[in-house]
Amino acid sequence: MSTLHDEPLLPDLIISALNRFEDEPCIHLGDQILSYGDVRRQTSQLIQALQKRGVGRGTHLAVLSKNRPEVLTNLAAAMINGSVITPLHPMGSLEDHAYVIGAAKIECLVIDVDHFSRLAADLKARFPDLIVLSFGPSDVGDDYLALASTFEPQPLVAPRVGPGDPCTLAYTGGTTGLPKGVLLPQRVWSNLTFIQMAEWEFPREVRMLVATPLSHAAMTLLGPVLLHGGSFHVMESFSPDGFFDLVEQRRITTTMIVPVMLYALQSQPRYRTADMSSMETIFYGASPMSPPKLADAIKLWGPIFFQFYGQSEAPMVIAHMKKADHDLSKPKRLASCGRPAPWVHVALLGPDNQPVAPGESGEICARGPLVMIGYHDMDVETTEALSADWLHTGDVGRFDEDGFLYIVDRTKDMVITGGFNVFPREVEDVISSHAAVNTVIVVGVPDEKWGEAVKAVVVLSRGFAPSNELTAEIQALVKQIKGSQQSPKTIDYVDGVPLTAVGKPDKKAVRARYWSGTDRSVG
């Protein structure tokens, strides 16, 4: 087959970037600094170590690690090696990981020995043929780094893979049923990178603060940061003080956050005193942002926010809202996720798979090079998600007269109470405008009279305490803006909400508490 018109894929882009620089800093974590030359050489050695253990093109490889530099170099090595990569959530249980390893047919597991040695031993006992490689000496498997050090660095060579060949297999819990393995081909990651380079507003000097798990975030950032000649400044784990310290000390110019991280920053006194003058772009997404909290951050830090919208099945760049579009004179627009990317087909479809009328709400559907191959070994679910030659996102959206897309809610999250349809996202936006509310999740819960009742689960801002008066205030606010049928019948006050691997509120886990009959105190 002719290779005359082959496009560069993400492994090619990584190699190009790593070859372009030498002594410039690439990765900072604590006191460790790796230059581009260091990363290039370590990547080559890791590739040779993988191949020595029989891990090559098409091998299914999983990664279980907290944040450390080797997560990035191993990712580059696995990509250039042509392996199929599955990230495992660092906070997941043994049963979570065992399910994924079995379902994804994982052949090699790379672990952070400092934190996951025992867990790896339990997984190895269940899967005796599993190849285990550890970042350091381990009783469970081979010392990956020691093995890599026995090889001399060699020039990096891209694998012989095509745009349709599998690249990543990531498991998402979704809203119902077992976790689904989203199989993404090489073309998704190269096209995602092209769109990021063309549309995303990166600073001229990229000093990227990474505060989320590298095992999940790195795939989306590796290409554009390296191609800009930028550097990663990695937090071992997120904390508001650690975030502000790193921004001030390293003069961070950009970061990627999820909304709950901004809320955590806003709950601290340093939110209003920290020196954020070096920050030029804050990318945010993965879950809906509270418009009032976003407006407050823009007023304080300036027009530095850039929103992205996508999902595991078509990651990150379905639509975006640029910094200038975060217009405080048009506050309603802050609830938007921007306009569709020019390289993606986006439509709002009705139940008949036909476009809805202008101004009406419909399911957000996408097609183009960003769309997944399908769900791994789940033919029925794949057929449903990709019916009529569209990816059905499960999100309900509408366009305004200027072409901005607004996500009303998830189709499966809709609450039907007494015959009324309630979209939790709309109720959450109202509740989050109350000064006492830091984070809110709205779900439907069983109710003998109404079938389902609207419940709000609220994390309060610093200085506020639960009370019957506060509950009444919040309920009245929703009644005033959205009507009585959308006002929560009950409000639970909690210290925190569960999060998914990418840091968005895990509505499925919250809903399960109530539908499984777990007792809760109700305000």
Side-chain angles (χ1 to χ4, degrees), residues 309 318 340 344-350 353-356 360-367 388-399 405:
Y309 165 66
I318 291 177
V344 184
H345 298 288
V346 176
L348 303 183
L349 303 184
N353 285 326
Q354 296 301 309
V356 300
E360 290 188 4
S361 297
E363 184 176 14
I364 301 171
C365 296
R367 59 162 60 128
D389 283 336
W390 287 97
L391 168 68
H392 294 255
T393 66
D395 289 331
V396 180
R398 63 175 179 82
F399 285 109
L405 178 63

Side-chain angles (χ1 to χ4, degrees), residues 106-326:
I106 298 298
E107 300 160 86
C108 176
L109 173 64
V110 176
I111 66 160
D112 171 1
V113 69
D114 294 335
H115 298 96
F116 300 108
S117 209
R118 175 63 183 273
L119 187 53
D122 292 339
L123 290 169
K124 178 71 173 175
R126 294 197 188 192
F127 302 94
D129 295 332
L130 187 66
I131 300 168
V132 179
L133 301 175
S134 59
F135 296 134
S138 170
D139 295 331
V140 183
D142 293 341
D143 185 335
Y144 190 14
L145 303 182
L147 178 60
S149 70
T150 64
F151 297 99
E152 287 296 319
Q154 301 295 324
L156 299 176
V157 179
R160 298 190 65 182
V161 293
D165 288 334
C167 179
T168 60
L169 177 55
Y171 277 75
T172 175
T175 53
T176 59
L178 292 171
K180 297 188 289 287
V182 178
L183 188 57
L184 298 180
Q186 293 282 346
R187 61 172 160 74
V188 166
W189 296 107
S190 56
N191 278 278
L192 182 145
T193 303
F194 299 154
I195 294 171
Q196 287 175 314
M197 294 295 289
E199 290 289 312
W200 285 30
E201 296 171 301
F202 282 93
R204 187 176 62 83
E205 295 182 13
V206 176
R207 293 187 290 277
M208 168 68 74
L209 189 157
V210 181
T212 53
L214 266 177
S215 54
H216 289 72
M219 274 298 294
T220 62
L221 296 173
L222 196 61
V225 172
L226 293 182
L227 288 168
H228 277 99
S231 53
F232 292 95
H233 298 255
V234 184
M235 298 181 69
E236 291 187 13
S237 60
F238 172 75
S239 71
D241 275 335
F243 181 95
F244 288 128
D245 286 344
L246 207 55
V247 171
E248 292 178 341
Q249 295 164 8
R250 304 275 178 79
R251 304 301 294 162
I252 295 297
T253 60
T254 185
T255 189
M256 182 181 290
I257 63 173
V258 295
V260 292
M261 293 168 63
L262 177 63
Y263 307 159
L265 296 172
Q266 291 177 316
S267 71
Q268 303 297 313
R270 288 183 69 185
Y271 168 59
R272 301 198 177 277
T273 61
D275 181 2
M276 292 285 287
S277 60
S278 64
M279 188 71 74
E280 296 181 42
T281 307
I282 294 179
F283 299 103
Y284 71 96
S287 62
M289 177 76 85
S290 161
K293 294 184 186 303
L294 177 59
D296 188 79
I298 294 170
K299 291 174 186 175
L300 183 63
W301 293 341
I304 62 174
F305 287 85
F306 182 108
Q307 183 179 183
F308 58 88
Y309 165 66
Q311 58 177 200
S312 300
E313 293 84 348
M316 301 198 64
V317 292
I318 291 177
H320 54 257
M321 187 158 69
K322 294 189 173 183
K323 293 190 285 188
D325 292 326
H326 287 72

